[in-house]
Amino acid sequence: MQRRFIDYLIISLKGMAMGAADAVPGVSGGTIAFISGIYEELITTISNVNLSTLKVLKTEGIAAFWKKVNGNFILALLTGIIISFASFMKLAKYLIEEHPILIWSFFFGLIIASIYFVAKQITKWNTGSIAALITGAALAYYITSLPSMASNDSPYLLFFAGAIAICAMILPGISGSFILVILGAYKTLSNAIDSLDIKKIIIFALGAVIGLLSFSRVLKWLFKNYHNTTLAVLTGFIFGSLNKIWPWKKTVSVMSDSTGEIISFSKVSELGTLSVYQKELQNFESYKTVVENSILPNHFSEINGQLDAQILYAVLLMIAGFSIIFILEKIGNKA
């Protein structure tokens, strides 16, 4: 495929959108790749990396190898992803802690639009496709309801988390960052990036490379042999992930990062967001939400009398997120 410089610049921008999405626990960069029209090329390119590809490097030289691995595409995409992921992780962390309703509203609108664009690529709906969609949605919903694990600095866990999270990152609807949260590796990786802990970053990257090379082959085979069913499952994944990014939540329990102690809030009338309990948790060095349940905006206001549900701003940001997907889809069709 002949591409101009502007084409690779657009691919880098798509990579930046993927990186920003992957930095937010609950949003999948794979969804952005799918909507922007580069998903199947990405999966095919990754799956084509094997021992025979390395032989090309040895026998035919760097130029032939670079062409074989679709090097310009990968370089442009990875440049955007890395720059965006590393820079946006801090911002995402701040927005999730300080303005959770607003950031989740934006991504909720984005995901709603994604469902439509992925589903419309299914050429034939039948009982099998519908069953695949329901299965994918149920699985994604179950994953988003799992409690988080305590933070863990084990290099083995970090390697395993890299392999699992990268698989999730290339699956539309399944958030790689949220998998890191569930496994207790999100804070460890975030701290490693902040402090430039090269050892931990390399361990995570090695796990990610092995997971990516293995899983991409599975996806390529599924697209080749069960295209419609695979798309239906991916649509279900995206639909099921809406539970995680619903803006209005009630906190069921929190856990101290320092002691591992879990505090549960059993009375429904007392449930709210984590900020409500900050005064009661001053003795903890740090803590995080373990379990949250989605609630309606009016219920959020009822149980958090001093907190605004921010419905107007939330709706506007949902519309903005929805609109961005239409723009990405148009860019994807042109590029």
Side-chain angles (χ1 to χ4, degrees), residues 93-143:
K93 184 178 179 182
Y94 167 78
L95 291 173
I96 290 170
E97 291 176 353
E98 302 297 330
H99 304 285
I101 292 177
L102 300 183
I103 188 171
W104 291 129
S105 296
F106 173 78
F107 282 109
F108 190 85
L110 186 148
I111 297 303
I112 286 288
S114 300
I115 293 171
Y116 166 73
F117 282 114
V118 176
K120 80 173 187 176
Q121 296 185 51
I122 300 174
T123 57
K124 184 179 180 181
W125 284 97
N126 51 36
T127 305
S129 299
I130 294 172
L133 186 147
I134 294 172
T135 301
L139 179 59
Y141 183 88
Y142 171 73
I143 292 173

Side-chain angles (χ1 to χ4, degrees), residues 7-321:
D7 298 324
Y8 289 114
L9 180 61
I10 291 174
I11 289 171
S12 291
L13 292 175
K14 292 176 182 179
M16 293 183 71
M18 288 175 63
D22 276 325
V24 179
V27 185
S28 169
T31 302
I32 304 299
F34 206 109
I35 297 305
S36 60
I38 60 173
Y39 189 75
E40 291 196 43
E41 181 179 359
L42 174 61
I43 297 302
T44 300
T45 299
I46 295 170
S47 64
N48 284 341
V49 178
N50 50 39
L51 290 177
S52 65
T53 309
L54 296 178
K55 289 180 181 178
V56 171
L57 175 62
K58 184 178 180 180
T59 59
E60 300 181 38
I62 294 177
F65 170 79
W66 190 253
K67 184 177 180 180
K68 177 78 173 178
V69 299
N70 201 4
N72 289 339
F73 170 79
I74 290 296
L75 179 62
L77 190 67
L78 280 180
T79 300
I81 291 174
I82 292 170
I83 291 173
S84 179
F85 186 83
S87 58
F88 192 73
M89 184 175 271
K90 283 186 178 181
L91 177 60
K93 184 178 179 182
Y94 167 78
L95 291 173
I96 290 170
E97 291 176 353
E98 302 297 330
H99 304 285
I101 292 177
L102 300 183
I103 188 171
W104 291 129
S105 296
F106 173 78
F107 282 109
F108 190 85
L110 186 148
I111 297 303
I112 286 288
S114 300
I115 293 171
Y116 166 73
F117 282 114
V118 176
K120 80 173 187 176
Q121 296 185 51
I122 300 174
T123 57
K124 184 179 180 181
W125 284 97
N126 51 36
T127 305
S129 299
I130 294 172
L133 186 147
I134 294 172
T135 301
L139 179 59
Y141 183 88
Y142 171 73
I143 292 173
T144 61
S145 65
L146 290 173
S148 308
M149 292 173 59
S151 293
N152 193 318
D153 289 333
S154 166
Y156 299 105
L157 177 70
L158 198 58
F159 180 88
F160 175 75
I164 298 299
I166 198 68
C167 295
M169 284 180 181
I170 61 174
L171 271 177
I174 303 293
S175 165
S177 290
F178 184 61
I179 297 298
L180 292 178
V181 171
I182 291 174
L183 295 175
Y186 185 82
K187 184 178 180 182
T188 301
L189 180 61
S190 179
N191 291 340
I193 292 174
D194 286 344
S195 61
L196 288 179
D197 189 331
I198 303 300
K199 181 181 177 180
K200 288 181 179 178
I201 293 173
I202 289 176
I203 290 172
F204 178 84
L206 286 174
V209 168
I210 291 174
L212 187 61
L213 292 178
S214 304
F215 191 62
S216 62
R217 285 170 171 75
V218 176
L219 279 177
K220 181 182 178 181
W221 182 84
L222 288 172
F223 271 112
K224 183 178 179 179
N225 296 282
Y226 302 98
H227 193 268
N228 267 6
T229 303
T230 302
L231 286 175
V233 171
L234 296 181
T235 304
F237 281 164
I238 300 173
F239 185 77
S241 71
L242 290 174
N243 174 56
K244 171 59 185 172
I245 57 175
W246 178 249
W248 296 278
K249 300 284 188 181
K250 61 181 180 183
T251 301
V252 177
S253 60
V254 297
M255 177 175 61
S256 166
D257 273 342
S258 57
T259 66
E261 181 183 352
I262 294 177
I263 297 179
S264 298
F265 306 106
S266 56
K267 296 181 181 179
V268 175
S269 60
E270 295 175 356
L271 296 177
T273 57
L274 194 56
S275 59
V276 175
Y277 304 98
Q278 287 177 348
K279 291 184 179 179
E280 287 81 356
L281 298 173
Q282 290 297 323
N283 58 315
F284 286 83
E285 293 179 11
S286 60
Y287 51 86
K288 64 182 178 183
T289 299
V290 177
V291 177
E292 284 183 315
N293 289 338
S294 300
I295 57 175
L296 294 173
N298 62 320
H299 192 191
F300 180 89
S301 299
E302 290 171 6
I303 62 179
N304 300 282
Q306 74 276 36
L307 295 178
D308 184 7
Q310 299 175 287
I311 296 175
L312 176 60
Y313 292 117
V315 171
L316 291 175
L317 284 167
M318 285 181 187
I319 294 172

